[in-house]
Amino acid sequence: MKHNVLKRLGASTALALACGLAFAQSTEAPMSKSMGQGSQQMHEQMMSGMQKMQSMQPGGDTDKDFAMMMRMHHQTAIDMAKVEVEQGKSSEMKALARKIISDQQKEIAQLDKWLATKK
């Protein structure tokens, strides 16, 4: 049954869903009481994004499904990077987070533009 469902979803959609599910299962451990507020916020952002991607109902168009899932994935990266910029201590990681925000916003705009032509 699983194989038939994955086959119908298309390779890229199935891969994205499988990676998301594997990652979510690997992060189910309870939160450490010593986890800092920034780490807690990033974890919550990540889990929220994963839930949104997992609840997305693929429409059968691999390109459109890929674009929609990648948009969600990129938004989650932006949300996590914003926490790093606000609360991180490493100038190197904060600079990388700023770059991620900029790059992912550009890619979201590209995905949005493409998706707008597919309605």
Side-chain angles (χ1 to χ4, degrees), residues 11-27:
S12 62
T13 302
L15 179 60
L17 290 172
C19 289
L21 179 59
F23 187 76
Q25 289 173 341
S26 72
T27 60

Side-chain angles (χ1 to χ4, degrees), residues 47-81:
M47 294 306 290
S48 174
M50 295 293 297
Q51 289 172 347
K52 288 175 187 172
M53 283 187 279
Q54 288 176 352
S55 67
M56 181 193 144
Q57 295 298 314
D61 179 332
T62 302
D63 297 326
K64 189 173 180 181
D65 291 341
F66 172 78
M68 290 189 307
M69 281 189 268
M70 287 306 296
R71 189 192 189 294
M72 288 182 216
H73 173 73
H74 287 357
Q75 185 60 55
T76 300
I78 290 169
D79 296 342
M80 291 173 65

Side-chain angles (χ1 to χ4, degrees), residues 39-112:
S39 295
Q40 175 74 30
Q41 286 177 320
M42 282 190 289
H43 187 266
E44 289 169 4
Q45 294 288 351
M46 177 193 63
M47 294 306 290
S48 174
M50 295 293 297
Q51 289 172 347
K52 288 175 187 172
M53 283 187 279
Q54 288 176 352
S55 67
M56 181 193 144
Q57 295 298 314
D61 179 332
T62 302
D63 297 326
K64 189 173 180 181
D65 291 341
F66 172 78
M68 290 189 307
M69 281 189 268
M70 287 306 296
R71 189 192 189 294
M72 288 182 216
H73 173 73
H74 287 357
Q75 185 60 55
T76 300
I78 290 169
D79 296 342
M80 291 173 65
K82 286 179 179 178
V83 175
E84 172 61 27
V85 169
E86 293 170 8
Q87 298 189 31
K89 292 179 177 53
S90 167
S91 59
E92 182 179 1
M93 288 296 101
K94 289 173 85 159
L96 179 59
R98 285 185 195 95
K99 182 178 182 332
I100 287 169
I101 292 167
S102 175
D103 292 349
Q104 300 296 292
Q105 286 174 335
K106 289 174 188 170
E107 289 188 15
I108 285 174
Q110 184 178 1
L111 291 165
D112 284 345

